[in-house]
Amino acid sequence: MASVPIIPDSYNHVLAEFECLDPLLSALRLDSSRLKCTCIAVSKRWLALGSSGGGLNLIQKDGWKQRLFLAHKEGAISRVACCLHDEDYVAVATSQGLVVVWELNQERRGKPERIYVSSEHKGRKVTALCWDTAALRVFVGDHVGKVSAIKINTSKQGKAAATFVMFPVQIITTVDSRVVQLDYLDGRLLISSLTRTYLCDTEREKFWKIGNKERDGEFGACFFPVGKNSVNQQPLIYCARPGSRMWEVNFDGEVQSTHQFKQLLSSPPLPVVTLRLDPHYTSSSCSPQSLSFPKLLYLAEHCVMTWTERGIYIFLPQSVQVLLWSEVKDIQDVAVYKSELFCLHTNGKVVHLSLLLVDRCIERLIRRGFWTLAARVCCLFQNSIISCRARKNLPLDKLEHLKSQLDASTQQDLITQMEELISKLEPLDSACSSRRSSISSHESFSILDSGIYRVISRRGSQSDEDSCSLHSQTFSEDERLKEFPAHQEDEQVELDNVSHASVTVEADRNETFLPFSIPLSFRSPSPLVSLQAVKESVSSFVRKTTEKIGTLHISPDTRGRQEAKDDEPLQELTVSLVASPQEEKELEPQSCQLPEEDYLRDLNAATAEAIAKLQDPLVLLEPQCMRRVLQEWLIYLEEKFGSKEHSASSIKKSKTVCVEEEREVLEENPRLDPTDGDPSDKEQSILKDCSENTDDTCVSKNMCENSTDLKGPLDSCFQVSPPCVIAPDVQKDLVELTTLCFELRVFSCGNGEAEESSDGSLPLSASWTLACRFMRSYFFLLDLKRLKQCIITMYSTIPNVWETYIAGLKELTCHSPVALAMENEDMLKILKQLHDLGPWDDSPLLLVHAQRLYEKFGETALRPLIKFHPSILPSDIKQLCRNDPAHFLAYLDSLVKSKPEDKRSSLLRSLLQPESVRLDWLCLAVSHDAPQRTNTVDAEGNPRPRSHLFTWGYSQLILLLIKLPADFVTKERMADICKAHGFWPGYLFLCLELDRRIEAFTNIAHLDDLSLLNGEDGSIPETIEEWKFLLRLAQNHSTTFHHHGPQNGKVVSNGSPSCPDCITVENVALLLAKAIGPNRALPLLQECGLTLELSERFTGVCEILRIAEKRQRALIQSMLERCDRFLWSQQA
């Protein structure tokens, strides 16, 4: 059986057609060649279909019953719009340009009546209709750009008002071209024309042009309302731009960013689920689509949809993602209401589509009995079906029932595919079989979206509420996560997979809802009694599981006993389960006896002494003195939070041993010698010999593992929480000193004695092992922000240190809601969750979530991260993408382009910290997505003709980098980089900026493009000597070069009008005549002996220039005389 392409799990939405509207159109007689549907609109109650015969059919969506028919004698119906806030009103535009407003009178069960007829646009084609969202007002736009507003006076206000008060039509504005789309929200009217988009404040009568760049064609625009929870957030505006782009605009009309969807649209189209034909999917990607979006419509769930002649496209613009796109041909217009789409095709057919989650779509197909189609959709969207959220709506028994409904004789292949899908669901259940068997005898349970088992005891009576629907028995994942406060996410216990159902018990909750059905009294005066009962049940349960036990929070006394007796059974551990915040507070004083008075007394005294010494300016300004102070303090820190097995004598002895072993390592490993070889080669050799796992490194083993006084191999566990209670003020001082130790590279050698690693005894390439060990041991005492900056600055060439830092952050956030959601949720939901958890400021915790996203979704996860700038900086992304610089370039380019053009330079300048990264970024930009060097540089290193016209993928970023202010040396190095890679536009700019004009003119001659000699950037000669040099370059330029046919698509010959932009003697002479005048140019040409090479064309142009110069002088003289006469007349 041939394998069926499977749609990736990133797509979990689909467009589905559950019912065909062809019988409805036949009943309305809109399927004939004489009469067909011309326009469409939809509201909560109505589907409005305008016809070519002038009739408007209003069909009630509930049951598709025709309720009303409104006739018009003014011509065919061209536009129709339903009032969404009062569905008793409909506006209609006819082919003659009349706008008719109808009141349906459905509440009073009366006949529909015309309440307004506007002839303001008579004789013109009405192209857009839009209702006010609050008042009874209709906005109308036509093909010449005129926009008007019709204020409706309704009979609901009284017959007197309806009879004697008729509001005139208000002219809003007249734009420069045809109105493409109108949209209205909260007092603002959005007008999209063929050239640009306008924002109008209809109350204050103010107008704004959105953006500076015009466009040419049909491009839509729409408002993007905010959610109900976003109280202080204003709505957004999205405007279509050429090349599959959108502007994101705030409510004041200011462009915030530009979103590019061209590359994202290279994915294959998703099939439309319809009864007309079987869904088909091709996994091969297509070429990027450069599209023009004729209209933008807001859909439910923060989506924006549009269409072209090829298909329907649905975007998530806030996260710059394509939700889906599907091939639907020949669409004329689309009307949307929430997640429903009604597509009017050019042949008059109407198709009703629904945007649904895949599991909801399959569930609806099963409910309607479309077994074959449901099974095919299941097989195509296997990855989405396997997810936990889909399993909630499509449990295993429902899929088994679906398979049983298939015909075994004719659908054997489909049955086989369903069996394979069901088999992929088996491991999840079988892995939990022992868990279910241990509790199924006396408990019922349900699986939440996050993998949590919610267990309900069967002992005793069960209320009807507990035994009703699946929805009533389970919490949604978001509701479940609310039980985990953000400040407690590091204190939660993970016991196998059941640990997600942590014992978070509220005071008024019945004890039968506990996961293990233990009769505990949570109001006991001693919480240890309750926890002991939990411990006994958990111990017996954990022994039956086959998976690894997660992180346990163990008291210090128990931790000490566990280190002394590694072979002690698991059930003897005193496990401190996080029962509730109140119980946790009661347990803290008992977990560490006398934390301040005795245990940390020496450390507190040493800390206070070290802080006092560091405040001395003589110590603070001398790094060596600071290191000595920190070395003395670090001994006390090691005694309390490090190894306790060594006495003072062994500590002194081990210091000498450690230093000797470090020297032995350098002798045995010459690659660690800083004077031997290239630094990059040394780094490569170190990384090659060391393991990829940052927890075990070869250098650290050579240095510390062989000594009996050392701690042993690197421990893979991080100390992310303090082993005992530390007062906040004491912890603040400890964090300051510990972070300072890391920044000054004062590390422990693993034996309790501090060792200074920056005094020349050990190079930086070898000290990273000590840095990794230091982070693991004292992660809870390090300032994570300063730690990150120090690693990026000092250890940028050693990835192991960064990997250790990220591993510690992962350990710190392993129980966070985002980390738990990373397993099952898609990228968009995770990004939304990160956004909702903000603001992040510059928290490193956001960085580790970005690392998880990048590891799971790759490059596609980087572009949405620009929304989190400056919480995530490009330096952070560069660390994440150090193995693939192209991903970093794509992120940096998207970040820069997300800002308006006038703010991009300032943004990029703020990102260049330190300044040295400018050259690194420039080298990356000119070496990726660039032309081949052989196409831009010849064998002598000179530019190839017209090679500056090649397309560079990051040309805008390169030009921004080289145009930013910099010192002379940096500019010279940037010029060398541009020349080496053949980026000639940047090289010419830098030559002119560095006053290397002769070199710039020489390269322009090689590029053979006269347009480069313009006055805008200063590249035109300024002195007679420069003109002479340029003329000699043109003369020495090989005359045969211009007679060998086309050069990049253009035929050139010396002196011929077919090459007006080539570097020839005549073209340069003409440029000279225009610059200094023909009378001065001819003597200079005679001096250079070039008059013989000039044609009659040059002579004719010079005569024209003389005439123009003479007329210009006469005009100036006349103006001066008039001014003189005027001034004398005023004086008289």
Side-chain angles (χ1 to χ4, degrees):
M1 182 187 65
S3 60
V4 179
I6 300 176
I7 296 175
D9 56 356
S10 58
Y11 297 103
N12 52 11
H13 286 75
V14 69
L15 289 174
E17 180 187 13
F18 295 106
E19 49 197 354
C20 181
L21 297 183
D22 290 346
L24 176 64
L25 296 179
S26 298
L28 299 175
R29 297 181 180 180
L30 292 178
D31 58 347
S32 63
S33 58
R34 185 181 61 88
L35 198 64
K36 68 175 185 178
C37 187
T38 56
C39 58
I40 190 171
V42 66
S43 65
K44 180 180 180 180
R45 181 179 183 184
W46 301 109
L47 172 63
L49 301 175
S51 68
S52 56
L56 178 66
N57 296 275
L58 290 173
I59 301 99
Q60 191 173 0
K61 290 166 58 179
D62 186 10
W64 302 113
K65 299 176 182 179
Q66 182 183 5
R67 293 296 302 274
L68 297 173
F69 178 80
L70 308 179
H72 301 80
K73 298 180 180 180
E74 295 85 0
I77 307 299
S78 60
R79 292 287 166 185
V80 60
C82 299
C83 183
L84 296 181
H85 62 87
D86 191 341
E87 294 188 292
D88 212 26
Y89 297 91
V90 177
V92 176
T94 67
S95 57
Q96 298 179 6
L98 297 179
V99 179
V100 183
V101 181
W102 290 83
E103 184 176 1
L104 304 181
N105 293 323
Q106 289 296 295
E107 297 179 0
R108 296 178 293 179
R109 298 187 178 182
K111 291 183 179 181
E113 57 181 334
R114 297 187 180 196
I115 59 175
Y116 205 104
V117 178
S118 170
S119 58
E120 185 65 36
H121 301 268
K122 187 176 182 180
R124 300 173 181 175
K125 182 181 178 180
V126 175
T127 56
L129 285 179
C130 175
W131 279 92
D132 193 316
T133 55
L136 290 177
R137 182 167 53 168
V138 184
F139 299 97
V140 187
D142 60 28
H143 76 286
V144 298
K146 188 176 185 179
V147 181
S148 64
I150 304 173
K151 190 174 182 181
I152 309 302
N153 186 25
T154 171
S155 60
K156 295 180 181 179
Q157 299 172 351
K159 288 189 176 182
T163 305
F164 297 105
V165 180
M166 185 68 71
F167 295 103
V169 176
Q170 178 186 3
I171 304 301
I172 300 295
T173 185
T174 300
V175 295
D176 53 0
S177 58
R178 177 164 65 92
V179 176
V180 176
Q181 186 177 359
L182 295 176
D183 198 7
Y184 185 88
L185 182 67
D186 295 345
R188 303 288 174 92
L189 178 65
L190 193 63
I191 306 172
S192 181
S193 69
L194 293 176
T195 57
R196 61 172 66 248
T197 304
Y198 302 86
L199 182 63
C200 308
D201 189 333
T202 57
E203 298 176 359
R204 301 178 181 177
E205 297 184 356
K206 293 184 178 181
F207 302 89
W208 300 272
K209 292 181 181 179
I210 296 180
N212 297 321
K213 292 186 177 181
E214 294 188 353
R215 64 203 184 192
D216 185 15
E218 292 191 1
F219 296 92
C222 71
F223 286 105
F224 193 87
V226 296
K228 296 180 180 179
N229 298 329
S230 304
V231 180
N232 298 325
Q233 186 177 356
Q234 286 188 325
L236 297 174
I237 301 171
Y238 286 98
C239 306
R241 297 292 300 167
S244 301
R245 292 177 298 157
M246 286 187 199
W247 273 346
E248 182 177 300
V249 186
N250 62 16
F251 207 52
D252 296 325
E254 299 173 350
V255 178
Q256 301 296 306
S257 59
T258 302
H259 299 327
Q260 174 63 263
F261 296 97
K262 180 178 178 181
Q263 297 295 332
L264 298 177
L265 290 175
S266 60
S267 59
L270 294 187
V272 177
V273 178
T274 175
L275 299 175
R276 303 172 189 264
L277 47 87
D278 292 336
H280 177 71
Y281 176 75
T282 303
S283 58
S284 58
S285 59
C286 57
S287 59
Q289 302 183 56
S290 181
L291 306 174
S292 300
F293 304 141
K295 284 186 181 179
L296 296 181
L297 301 176
Y298 175 76
L299 273 178
E301 299 182 359
H302 305 288
C303 301
V304 170
M305 73 84 56
T306 186
W307 72 91
T308 64
E309 66 279 356
R310 183 177 180 183
I312 294 176
Y313 305 84
I314 301 179
F315 303 103
L316 295 171
Q318 287 184 301
S319 56
V320 198
Q321 296 293 318
V322 178
L323 184 68
L324 64 85
W325 82 273
S326 299
E327 286 189 340
V328 182
K329 303 288 187 180
D330 303 325
I331 297 179
Q332 176 181 330
D333 198 5
V334 176
V336 299
Y337 180 75
K338 292 188 176 179
S339 59
E340 291 183 298
L341 291 79
F342 292 86
C343 305
L344 173 62
H345 292 259
T346 53
N347 58 2
K349 299 294 183 181
V350 178
V351 177
H352 178 203
L353 300 177
S354 299
L355 178 64
L356 294 170
L357 287 168
V358 174
D359 53 325
R360 295 290 186 186
C361 175
I362 298 172
E363 185 183 24
R364 190 174 297 185
L365 290 173
I366 294 175
R367 193 163 57 242
R368 299 189 180 204
F370 301 137
W371 310 110
T372 302
L373 183 57
R376 294 190 185 279
V377 176
C378 281
C379 295
L380 281 176
F381 290 90
Q382 291 186 25
N383 295 322
S384 297
I385 302 302
I386 295 173
S387 66
C388 289
R389 187 172 294 277
R391 292 280 300 281
K392 179 179 179 180
N393 296 319
L394 293 174
L396 195 60
D397 55 350
K398 187 172 291 188
L399 295 177
E400 291 281 6
H401 176 67
L402 173 59
K403 187 190 73 172
S404 65
Q405 298 297 322
L406 301 177
D407 189 352
S409 59
T410 60
Q411 298 176 325
Q412 187 58 44
D413 291 346
L414 194 56
I415 293 175
T416 304
Q417 296 173 23
M418 287 295 300
E419 290 176 348
E420 292 179 358
L421 171 60
I422 294 173
S423 65
K424 293 179 182 179
L425 304 180
E426 288 293 344
L428 179 62
D429 295 324
S430 60
C432 305
S433 59
S434 61
R435 186 178 301 113
R436 289 204 305 264
S437 61
S438 64
I439 62 178
S440 61
S441 60
H442 60 280
E443 293 168 339
S444 63
F445 62 94
S446 59
I447 306 174
L448 302 185
D449 292 344
S450 59
I452 299 174
Y453 279 75
R454 182 168 181 265
V455 184
I456 304 174
S457 176
R458 292 178 180 171
R459 295 176 297 177
S461 60
Q462 190 103 337
S463 65
D464 294 336
E465 181 182 357
D466 295 335
S467 59
C468 61
S469 63
L470 176 66
H471 178 72
S472 65
Q473 292 184 8
T474 58
F475 294 138
S476 67
E477 184 173 1
D478 295 335
E479 292 172 344
R480 193 68 180 174
L481 292 177
K482 290 178 182 177
E483 299 180 6
F484 298 83
H487 64 277
Q488 295 180 358
E489 65 180 18
D490 300 328
E491 302 172 0
Q492 304 193 14
V493 181
E494 184 179 356
L495 293 175
D496 201 34
N497 286 340
V498 187
S499 66
H500 296 275
S502 60
V503 192
T504 309
V505 182
E506 300 173 1
D508 57 348
R509 183 179 296 182
N510 194 302
E511 68 179 35
T512 58
F513 287 90
L514 289 176
F516 303 102
S517 297
I518 304 171
L520 298 179
S521 174
F522 283 91
R523 299 183 183 274
S524 172
S526 175
L528 292 178
V529 177
S530 301
L531 294 177
Q532 184 65 22
V534 175
K535 185 266 297 183
E536 293 174 358
S537 176
V538 170
S539 299
S540 62
F541 176 77
V542 168
R543 286 197 304 269
K544 300 178 182 179
T545 61
T546 58
E547 300 178 4
K548 182 181 178 181
I549 295 181
T551 305
L552 300 179
H553 295 280
I554 307 173
S555 62
D557 297 337
T558 308
R559 188 185 302 273
R561 294 198 303 269
Q562 176 66 15
E563 293 176 356
K565 301 178 181 181
D566 293 334
D567 57 345
E568 192 168 326
L570 177 64
Q571 57 267 28
E572 296 301 323
L573 293 177
T574 305
V575 181
S576 298
L577 292 177
V578 183
S580 66
Q582 291 79 8
E583 293 178 358
E584 184 183 9
K585 292 179 181 179
E586 294 176 5
L587 284 176
E588 284 179 355
Q590 302 180 20
S591 62
C592 182
Q593 300 293 333
L594 300 176
E596 295 285 349
E597 290 78 358
D598 294 332
Y599 187 70
L600 300 179
R601 179 178 298 172
D602 296 340
L603 179 60
N604 292 345
T607 301
E609 182 181 358
I611 293 291
K613 290 181 179 179
L614 291 176
Q615 292 176 351
D616 186 355
L618 298 178
V619 176
L620 190 62
L621 300 177
E622 183 58 46
Q624 294 298 333
C625 296
M626 292 180 64
R627 291 190 179 96
R628 283 194 293 269
V629 172
L630 293 174
Q631 286 174 4
E632 297 173 358
W633 171 81
L634 192 56
I635 297 176
Y636 294 92
L637 184 68
E638 286 265 330
E639 290 178 355
K640 299 304 177 185
F641 298 133
S643 175
K644 301 179 181 179
E645 299 178 358
H646 304 287
S647 61
S649 59
S650 64
I651 289 176
K652 294 179 181 179
K653 178 182 177 181
S654 62
K655 178 178 179 180
T656 306
V657 174
C658 182
V659 174
E660 292 176 356
E661 291 194 357
E662 290 171 358
R663 293 173 180 173
E664 291 176 3
V665 170
L666 293 177
E667 294 174 0
E668 295 175 2
N669 299 275
R671 61 184 177 277
L672 298 179
D673 191 353
T675 62
D676 186 14
D678 186 67
S680 61
D681 296 335
K682 291 185 292 181
E683 179 186 345
Q684 299 266 347
S685 60
I686 293 173
L687 299 180
K688 180 178 179 182
D689 293 340
C690 294
S691 171
E692 293 181 359
N693 187 353
T694 59
D695 298 335
D696 299 307
T697 56
C698 64
V699 177
S700 63
K701 290 182 179 179
N702 289 334
M703 289 176 7
C704 300
E705 187 177 5
N706 297 330
S707 176
T708 57
D709 293 328
L710 297 183
K711 233 178 156 180
L714 289 177
D715 188 10
S716 61
C717 296
F718 282 82
Q719 187 70 30
V720 296
S721 58
C724 63
V725 177
I726 304 177
D729 53 343
V730 176
Q731 185 165 4
K732 180 181 178 181
D733 294 338
L734 291 177
V735 168
E736 178 65 29
L737 293 178
T738 308
T739 307
L740 197 58
C741 285
F742 189 91
E743 292 171 339
L744 295 178
R745 307 211 313 261
V746 179
F747 300 132
S748 168
C749 196
N751 53 12
E753 180 65 29
E755 175 63 33
E756 180 184 349
S757 61
S758 61
D759 57 357
S761 63
L762 195 63
L764 180 63
S765 57
S767 69
W768 63 267
T769 56
L770 300 178
C772 295
R773 184 190 296 274
F774 191 85
M775 278 192 287
R776 291 189 182 92
S777 301
Y778 307 111
F779 201 78
F780 68 100
L781 290 178
L782 288 169
D783 187 329
L784 299 180
K785 298 179 184 178
R786 290 169 55 187
L787 181 63
K788 181 190 75 172
Q789 190 60 37
C790 179
I791 293 174
I792 293 176
T793 304
M794 298 176 57
Y795 297 96
S796 59
T797 60
I798 304 177
N800 300 66
V801 181
W802 176 265
E803 291 173 359
T804 305
Y805 173 69
I806 293 296
L809 292 177
K810 287 183 177 179
E811 182 75 17
L812 185 64
T813 60
C814 62
H815 299 296
S816 68
V818 179
L820 297 177
M822 199 72 67
E823 299 295 330
N824 303 316
E825 299 291 349
D826 59 13
M827 184 175 66
L828 300 180
K829 294 181 180 178
I830 296 172
L831 289 170
K832 183 178 183 302
Q833 191 174 16
L834 285 175
H835 183 270
D836 295 340
L837 291 175
W840 291 91
D841 297 329
D842 53 347
S843 172
L845 300 184
L846 178 60
L847 178 61
V848 72
H849 296 319
Q851 173 77 29
R852 290 190 175 102
L853 280 170
Y854 180 67
E855 291 173 355
K856 184 172 183 179
F857 300 103
E859 183 185 3
T860 57
L862 294 181
R863 294 183 186 272
L865 293 180
I866 64 177
K867 293 290 185 181
F868 296 99
H869 179 269
S871 298
I872 295 182
L873 297 172
S875 57
D876 304 330
I877 300 297
K878 194 171 188 300
Q879 289 292 335
L880 300 184
C881 310
R882 60 184 178 275
N883 296 327
D884 200 337
H887 293 177
F888 165 71
L889 271 179
Y891 166 83
L892 182 61
D893 191 56
S894 299
L895 176 62
V896 173
K897 290 181 179 179
S898 66
K899 302 296 181 182
E901 293 186 6
D902 56 338
K903 298 181 180 179
R904 292 177 182 176
S905 296
S906 59
L907 169 66
L908 191 59
R909 189 172 185 178
S910 66
L911 300 178
L912 295 175
Q913 300 294 335
E915 183 69 22
S916 59
V917 301
R918 182 204 299 253
L919 297 177
D920 299 336
W921 292 1
L922 182 62
C923 290
L924 286 176
V926 297
S927 57
H928 287 81
D929 198 7
Q932 295 291 332
R933 188 178 184 276
T934 55
N935 295 332
T936 58
V937 183
D938 60 16
E940 290 81 15
N942 296 320
R944 291 191 180 274
R946 305 303 177 99
S947 58
H948 63 291
L949 301 177
F950 281 110
T951 300
W952 294 69
Y954 299 103
S955 59
Q956 296 185 24
L957 179 62
I958 299 172
L959 291 174
L960 284 174
L961 284 171
I962 65 178
K963 289 181 179 180
L964 288 177
D967 58 84
F968 186 81
V969 177
T970 303
K971 290 285 185 179
E972 283 191 327
R973 295 181 64 182
M974 288 193 297
D976 295 339
I977 293 172
C978 291
K979 183 177 182 180
H981 291 82
F983 185 71
W984 302 118
Y987 179 67
L988 293 177
F989 175 84
L990 290 170
C991 283
L992 294 172
E993 201 171 42
L994 295 171
D995 203 22
R996 290 153 53 173
R997 301 179 61 83
I998 299 301
E999 188 174 350
F1001 293 143
T1002 304
N1003 284 275
I1004 289 175
H1006 285 289
L1007 291 171
D1008 195 33
D1009 190 352
L1010 194 69
S1011 63
L1012 296 175
L1013 293 170
N1014 57 72
E1016 296 179 1
D1017 53 4
S1019 57
I1020 193 169
E1022 297 176 350
T1023 62
I1024 298 297
E1025 287 73 16
E1026 288 182 355
W1027 279 111
K1028 290 181 179 180
F1029 178 77
L1030 187 58
L1031 287 168
R1032 283 195 298 269
L1033 285 176
Q1035 185 181 20
N1036 295 334
H1037 209 46
S1038 176
T1039 56
T1040 58
F1041 172 78
H1042 295 293
H1043 291 279
H1044 282 91
Q1047 297 288 338
N1048 277 0
K1050 296 183 180 180
V1051 179
V1052 290
S1053 61
N1054 189 29
S1056 171
S1058 62
C1059 60
D1061 57 347
C1062 297
I1063 302 294
T1064 63
V1065 173
E1066 182 168 313
N1067 287 339
V1068 176
L1070 287 173
L1071 190 64
L1072 172 64
K1074 294 176 183 178
I1076 65 176
N1079 295 330
R1080 295 179 59 193
L1082 282 175
L1084 182 61
L1085 292 172
Q1086 292 174 356
E1087 181 183 348
C1088 296
L1090 299 175
T1091 55
L1092 297 177
E1093 300 186 20
L1094 303 177
S1095 64
E1096 295 180 358
R1097 172 172 169 263
F1098 175 79
T1099 305
V1101 172
C1102 286
E1103 290 297 330
I1104 295 175
L1105 289 176
R1106 288 191 183 97
I1107 295 173
E1109 186 177 356
K1110 185 181 297 183
R1111 290 186 176 181
Q1112 188 176 12
R1113 289 175 180 173
L1115 179 62
I1116 294 175
Q1117 181 67 25
S1118 174
M1119 293 177 62
L1120 289 175
E1121 290 177 355
R1122 290 181 181 180
C1123 291
D1124 187 60
R1125 287 196 299 267
F1126 174 77
L1127 292 175
W1128 279 107
S1129 65
Q1130 293 296 319
Q1131 186 175 4

